Amino acid sequence: MKNYFLFVVTLLFCFPVQASDSTDTILKKLNDALRNKQYYVKIKEERILNFKKIKSDAFTKEQEYNYNKTLYTEYQKFNSDSAIFYVKKNLVIAAALQNKDLSDLAELQLANLYSSSGKYRESEAILKSINKKTLNKSLLPNYYVVYREFFEHYNANSTSQKYIEQIGKYRDSLLSVLNPESLNFKITQIQKNIFDKKFAVAEKQLTVLLKNTREEDSQYAMITYLFGSIYETTHRLELRKKYYALSSTADIKNAIKDNASLQELALVFYEIGDVDMAYKLTQSAIEDALYCNVQFRTLLMSEVYSIINTVYLEKEAKRKTELQLYLLCISLLSLFLIVAVIYVYKQMKKVSRIRGELYETSQKLAELNKDITETNSQLQERNAQLSESNHIKEEYIAHFFSLCSAYINKLENYRIILNKKATARQFDEIYKMLKSTTLVDNELEELYKNFDIIFLNLYPTFVKDFNDLLIKEEQIVLKQGELLNTELRIFALIRLGITDSVKIAAFLRYSLSTIYNYRTRARNKAAVSRNDFEEMVIKIGLISLKV
């Protein structure tokens, strides 16, 4: 009764994270992951390929060993044949270095790969050849993990209480050598608690781990899988489905081919009667097991697959019968449709006579519509021009008052300075200030800068649109920090309606001949008709104003 109370309290106060996501949302993410399964595989293959591009010719033997060990890690849960290839290369390197620790590590890795791919005799022979007493202490966790997984794989092939006891024995040995603060220790301890049916304790421990684990972490799939195992044993179907789905999604996104979650989730969907989803997950799980060459997974899946496939085929046969019935109904409806078409055809002949009479009326209406459309186009063009004019006026009036206010303040400041110097009888300073053109030059520079900013605010695409009117090799490239140059300012003024060269020359403080030369040279560089060039410049930005 005490244990039951603890179990209920755990459920209420330590409910696992991810509870914010509904099961439907999680299953949607799973289906998305299944659709993009090849994409995640491609990402992993590209990552491995990029790593292989590292030239290993200049490596020392130790560096080459570590290089192969990295590739083994990448392939371990992805393609066992490739993983075996790189472990065997490391065995040769370890022998050449006469390094027992490196040799033992490679032997343990190879034994683990052999047991997962169904080569139990070879795996057992390697494990028996390793002397635990002479094994480096740092390799003891690997030793116990490989032995535990060897019996797990063998038990999948031939279930026996003896193998289950061996699994527990090596799990306990592993716990004795792992760092109690390590994640591997915590997960192994949770597996032991689940095996000992301490579900409430295991669930609480998993909840703590999951809060600190992201979906991208390598242990995320294992943690959520263990949640699913607890809920499977305690017969909580929805939670079991939810956490097996989370684990499956993580495995797919990480391109883990040696996984158990998809198989367990397929059984869940089979139990709730969703045969289509169960079949889909089973197919995916078998594809993964065959791709990775994990024989014990293939063996487990074959039993599930035969059951689900039989039900799926029966359902497909039922669908086929229903389809035939639908086909018969469609045929009858088609016959009815043919009769209806004949009737409609006769009616249409009557309508065609009326249509002929309406045709002449529609032609007249079309002509009227055409006239109305042309009138509307003209009105829209006028409205656009008025809108542009109003827009310019509003912008320039605001900036005009702002600039006038600024210049009045500057004149007042200048007057105060001159007055102070006159009072102090600093006539030489006053003469020097009056003689200097720096103030005028600075004000002109600021005036042109303000003009550039205001104009580009009105017509932000002016420079690009102006360049589009020029041949490619003659297009204007502004210097760093420039908004407009002299040539662009001339045509900016033209765009604003100031087409008189005299006024443009006065504004820009250039000679009339200089302005004329700029305008002539621009027409000569035009990609359009020289005669239409300035007219097209005036139309820049007109479309945006209409909008």
Side-chain angles (χ1 to χ4, degrees):
M1 185 68 183
K2 183 178 179 181
N3 288 338
Y4 179 76
F5 177 74
L6 178 63
F7 179 70
V8 172
V9 170
T10 303
L11 279 180
L12 292 174
F13 296 99
C14 299
F15 199 79
V17 294
Q18 298 288 351
S20 57
D21 283 347
S22 67
T23 305
D24 290 339
T25 303
I26 292 168
L27 291 176
K28 183 179 182 300
K29 290 180 180 178
L30 171 62
N31 280 308
D32 291 340
L34 286 168
R35 279 194 296 272
N36 296 306
K37 187 176 177 181
Q38 291 306 315
Y39 168 74
Y40 298 121
V41 171
K42 185 180 178 182
I43 290 175
K44 186 171 182 75
E45 288 174 341
E46 286 177 354
R47 184 173 72 243
I48 294 172
L49 184 62
N50 288 332
F51 183 77
K52 285 182 177 179
K53 288 179 181 178
I54 300 173
K55 294 182 179 179
S56 58
D57 300 340
F59 282 177
T60 62
K61 289 291 184 182
E62 289 82 357
Q63 288 172 332
E64 187 179 355
Y65 184 96
N66 289 327
Y67 175 82
N68 291 335
K69 189 169 74 171
T70 301
L71 287 171
Y72 153 79
T73 304
E74 288 287 345
Y75 279 120
Q76 184 183 11
K77 299 289 186 180
F78 184 63
N79 188 319
S80 62
D81 291 338
S82 297
I84 289 169
F85 172 77
Y86 287 103
V87 170
K88 285 183 176 179
K89 288 184 73 172
N90 274 352
L91 282 172
V92 175
I93 293 170
L97 290 171
Q98 296 183 347
N99 188 318
K100 184 177 181 301
D101 289 345
L102 295 182
S103 180
D104 286 343
L105 176 59
E107 290 281 7
L108 287 170
Q109 290 170 346
L110 185 61
N112 185 250
L113 290 168
Y114 276 162
S115 71
S116 66
S117 58
K119 297 178 180 180
Y120 302 114
R121 289 184 180 180
E122 291 88 340
S123 178
E124 187 177 19
I126 293 171
L127 288 171
K128 285 182 178 179
S129 70
I130 297 172
N131 188 347
K132 187 178 74 171
K133 294 179 181 179
T134 61
L135 197 65
N136 192 307
K137 288 185 178 180
S138 65
L139 294 178
L140 281 175
N142 301 67
Y143 178 81
Y144 292 132
V145 166
V146 173
Y147 249 117
R148 185 196 67 189
E149 292 187 0
F150 169 79
F151 285 108
E152 285 175 352
H153 298 160
Y154 206 85
N155 189 57
N157 186 52
S158 179
T159 304
S160 169
Q161 185 61 34
K162 179 178 70 174
Y163 301 142
I164 295 172
E165 290 173 0
Q166 289 295 323
I167 293 168
K169 170 188 169 184
Y170 283 104
R171 186 191 299 115
D172 293 341
S173 299
L174 178 60
L175 286 169
S176 69
V177 296
L178 284 174
N179 179 0
E181 298 301 318
S182 69
L183 183 59
N184 284 336
F185 177 89
K186 293 173 183 177
I187 289 177
T188 306
Q189 182 65 55
I190 290 167
Q191 289 173 327
K192 177 177 172 58
N193 286 335
I194 293 172
F195 180 78
D196 294 339
K197 298 185 179 180
K198 297 177 181 178
F199 301 123
V201 177
E203 188 175 6
K204 187 175 181 179
Q205 292 170 327
L206 283 171
T207 301
V208 174
L209 287 184
L210 192 57
K211 285 180 181 177
N212 301 315
T213 308
R214 299 175 303 167
E215 188 179 356
E216 299 78 18
D217 295 340
S218 58
Q219 296 291 358
Y220 180 87
M222 172 58 76
I223 293 169
T224 48
Y225 175 80
L226 291 174
F227 264 121
S229 300
I230 291 173
Y231 297 135
E232 181 177 357
T233 309
T234 55
H235 308 293
R236 284 176 281 175
L237 188 64
E238 276 303 308
L239 288 172
R240 173 185 166 196
K241 178 169 67 174
K242 176 178 179 178
Y243 283 93
Y244 279 146
L246 286 170
S247 179
S248 299
T249 305
D251 280 334
I252 292 168
K253 288 185 175 180
N254 292 318
I256 302 299
K257 297 294 185 180
D258 180 6
N259 64 76
S261 307
L262 280 173
Q263 174 187 338
E264 298 296 341
L265 189 58
L267 287 171
V268 173
F269 278 100
Y270 175 72
E271 287 179 23
I272 63 177
D274 191 343
V275 179
D276 291 338
M277 190 63 177
Y279 181 79
K280 179 180 177 180
L281 295 171
T282 307
Q283 286 282 92
S284 182
I286 287 178
E287 287 172 7
D288 287 349
L290 292 173
Y291 185 94
C292 190
N293 192 24
V294 188
Q295 188 173 348
F296 84 98
R297 294 267 182 236
T298 309
L299 183 66
L300 288 171
M301 283 307 303
S302 62
E303 299 174 3
V304 177
Y305 180 75
S306 61
I307 298 169
I308 294 175
N309 188 51
T310 301
V311 178
Y312 180 78
L313 291 175
E314 289 174 356
K315 190 173 181 180
E316 283 296 302
K318 185 179 178 182
R319 285 178 182 167
K320 188 176 179 181
T321 303
E322 291 174 351
L323 186 62
Q324 289 173 345
L325 179 61
Y326 295 149
L327 186 61
L328 178 61
C329 292
I330 290 169
S331 299
L332 293 172
L333 287 172
S334 299
L335 181 61
F336 173 77
L337 183 62
I338 291 170
V339 173
V341 166
I342 293 170
Y343 174 78
V344 169
Y345 175 74
K346 290 181 178 180
Q347 294 299 314
M348 285 179 64
K349 288 186 71 176
K350 294 178 181 178
V351 171
S352 64
R353 290 196 299 268
I354 300 170
R355 189 175 293 171
E357 296 172 2
L358 293 173
Y359 177 75
E360 293 181 4
T361 306
S362 65
Q363 287 291 98
K364 292 177 181 178
L365 286 173
E367 291 176 6
L368 288 172
N369 283 335
K370 184 178 179 182
D371 293 339
I372 291 170
T373 302
E374 290 175 358
T375 305
N376 282 338
S377 297
Q378 292 172 1
L379 285 171
Q380 286 177 0
E381 187 174 349
R382 298 293 181 273
N383 286 336
Q385 292 171 356
L386 287 171
S387 175
E388 177 190 10
S389 177
N390 290 335
H391 185 59
I392 293 170
K393 286 175 183 176
E394 289 170 1
E395 289 281 342
Y396 271 100
I397 286 169
H399 287 287
F400 171 76
F401 280 115
S402 177
L403 288 173
C404 284
S405 176
Y407 282 127
I408 289 169
N409 290 334
K410 289 178 181 177
L411 286 171
E412 178 63 16
N413 291 334
Y414 196 62
R415 184 191 68 77
I416 292 169
I417 292 168
L418 290 175
N419 186 48
K420 285 181 180 179
K421 290 190 180 293
T423 303
R425 305 185 70 82
Q426 297 174 344
F427 298 116
D428 290 339
E429 291 291 326
I430 293 171
Y431 176 72
K432 189 184 294 183
M433 287 176 66
L434 292 172
K435 187 177 179 181
S436 173
T437 62
T438 303
L439 179 64
V440 175
D441 293 340
N442 289 340
E443 291 304 320
L444 279 172
E445 183 180 349
E446 187 174 350
L447 174 64
Y448 294 148
K449 183 178 179 181
N450 281 326
F451 172 79
D452 294 348
I453 292 169
I454 295 167
F455 181 79
L456 290 176
N457 186 42
L458 290 169
Y459 304 102
T461 63
F462 178 78
V463 177
K464 177 184 175 300
D465 294 341
F466 184 80
N467 274 329
D468 289 343
L469 298 175
L470 302 178
I471 57 178
K472 190 172 182 179
E473 55 271 17
E474 294 292 345
Q475 291 183 352
I476 296 171
V477 179
L478 293 169
K479 295 177 182 177
Q480 182 71 27
E482 272 189 335
L483 297 175
L484 297 174
N485 58 18
T486 302
E487 185 175 357
L488 286 169
R489 286 194 193 102
I490 291 169
F491 285 96
L493 289 168
I494 291 171
R495 174 63 190 88
L496 293 173
I498 304 171
T499 57
D500 189 348
S501 294
V502 175
K503 292 182 180 178
I504 295 171
F507 178 74
L508 297 178
R509 301 177 73 86
Y510 284 106
S511 66
L512 186 60
S513 61
T514 300
I515 300 301
Y516 177 78
N517 288 337
Y518 269 114
R519 293 177 73 168
T520 303
R521 190 160 58 244
R523 283 196 296 270
N524 291 335
K525 295 188 295 182
V528 297
S529 170
R530 293 179 74 255
N531 297 330
D532 298 333
F533 177 70
E534 290 192 0
E535 185 179 343
M536 294 184 74
V537 170
I538 291 172
K539 291 182 178 179
I540 288 175
L542 192 58
I543 294 174
S544 62
L545 285 170
K546 285 181 181 181
V547 174

